[in-house]
Amino acid sequence: MTDHTVSPDVHSDDDYSAYHDALAPWWADHARDFPWRFGRTDAWGVLLSEVMSQQTPMTRVLPYWQSWMAVWSSPDKLAEATAAEVISAWGTLGYPRRALRLRECAQEIVARFGGRVPDTYEELVSLPGIGDYTACAVMAFAYGKRVPVVDTNIRRVLSRAIGGAESLGGAANASERKLAENALPRDARMSVIWNQATMELGATVCTAKSPACDECPLRSECKFAQAGWPGLGQKRTRPRQTFTGTNRQVRGKILKALRHADEHHLSYDEISQVWADSVQLDACIASLDEDGLIEIREDHSLTLPLG
DNA sequence: TTCCGGTGCT
DNA sequence: AGCACCGGAA
């Protein structure tokens, strides 16, 4: 037993009705108005918003989601795009491999599911770029299914409000999943609101470092606040990779240069100007090539992939 | 300078 | 289980 995040004896249905009763009205008043919410888009729009939101705040996703949906409003449309087009349209959203996975995902949805976004966990996680979280999010938010959507925000809110402690780092454990399953309202429609509202609370109020407890609808029943916020923000985090001088920075510079280049093409001399250390530059060019994010020509010039 | 996070690979 | 991957806000 390695988990001490939540106490084990809080699993009966009645323990959570007050939680939902406080959360639902808060959601009604405070939900941010994104176009992929409130049933205003289809399953493809939801899937796109969820992939774009991986590792990325929704406020930053919004303009990209709108421009992508304007051009690629369905899987069969995105399936026809070139890699260069999607990498270019990804702009500075970050983690550009997601753009490639999204196109492959669209192609598989067309080839395997007749262009319809699947609605089962097994089918969804079999798609490129779709892991546990995104599969559950699509089932809940696109298809209205009663599924616990266990992201980092929900883990933090549940661990605090019900368990009275900070959630640990690492993958969600069985105890956390069990808690989310038990706290989830039995009614499917209510469960979708619960997932969205809990996630939103974690994103906007019950934040990692400085929770706005004064504005929290769960303030009066929160075990974490009652205990005096023990170990606030002490989540075990990955060792911080300093950005300057990393491959991550160099890869970003190379891709940015190609995005802005005429015909997305640069000679080796031109690309050499983005980074002085040629050994590291070459390593990053090789890794971008391995990721399928660039193509290397015979003369060592670079392009975004035509395919 | 530090913080934030889901997927996929090792 | 640990790590690489991103850019922008705090």
Side-chain angles (χ1 to χ4, degrees), chain A residues 73-127:
Chain A
S73 58
S74 59
D76 60 287
K77 290 199 173 77
L78 183 61
E80 299 299 316
T82 67
E85 283 172 329
V86 300
I87 293 165
S88 196
W90 197 253
T92 58
L93 216 34
Y95 296 107
R97 291 183 297 192
R98 289 185 293 169
L100 253 23
R101 296 295 87 77
L102 223 20
R103 187 179 72 129
E104 293 162 15
C105 180
Q107 290 168 342
E108 288 201 22
I109 289 171
V110 171
R112 294 167 52 199
F113 304 111
R116 184 177 190 273
V117 176
D119 65 354
T120 68
Y121 183 86
E122 283 70 25
E123 289 170 331
L124 284 163
V125 292
S126 77
L127 293 167

Side-chain angles (χ1 to χ4, degrees), chain A residues 139-185:
Chain A
M139 285 194 289
F141 304 144
Y143 293 112
K145 295 195 178 195
R146 185 185 174 281
V147 182
V149 184
V150 185
D151 79 333
T152 189
N153 288 313
I154 289 187
R155 290 172 66 190
R156 184 172 59 248
V157 171
L158 288 185
S159 181
R160 283 177 176 173
I162 296 169
E166 289 288 41
S167 68
L168 278 6
N173 58 41
S175 174
E176 287 177 304
R177 291 177 183 287
K178 181 77 178 156
L179 176 58
E181 166 64 37
N182 280 296
L184 199 63

Side-chain angles (χ1 to χ4, degrees), chain A residues 4 22 65 81 125 138 143 148 156 158 175 177 179-180 199 204 210 219 266 281 289 300:
Chain A
H4 305 287
W65 185 88
V125 292
V138 169
Y143 293 112
R156 184 172 59 248
L158 288 185
S175 174
R177 291 177 183 287
L179 176 58
M199 220 181 284
T204 63
S210 51
R219 180 66 179 85
L266 290 171
L281 180 75
D289 181 48
H300 303 294

Side-chain angles (χ1 to χ4, degrees), chain A residues 60 94-96 240-255 275 280 284 287-288:
Chain A
R60 197 138 62 84
Y95 296 107
R240 290 292 157 206
Q241 178 193 32
T242 54
F243 174 65
T244 306
T246 59
N247 287 358
R248 174 190 144 191
Q249 182 186 25
V250 180
R251 283 169 55 106
K253 281 178 178 289
I254 294 168
L255 233 34
W275 198 251
Q280 187 175 22
C284 288
S287 80
L288 286 168

Side-chain angles (χ1 to χ4, degrees), chain A residues 210 221 259:
Chain A
S210 51
E221 55 203 300
R259 229 182 266 120

Side-chain angles (χ1 to χ4, degrees), chain A residues 31-53:
Chain A
R32 290 172 295 172
D33 185 25
F34 295 113
W36 52 82
R37 286 181 166 174
F38 316 116
R40 288 175 295 172
T41 189
D42 58 7
W44 171 245
V46 170
L47 187 153
L48 183 63
S49 77
E50 289 298 338
V51 172
M52 286 182 164
S53 299

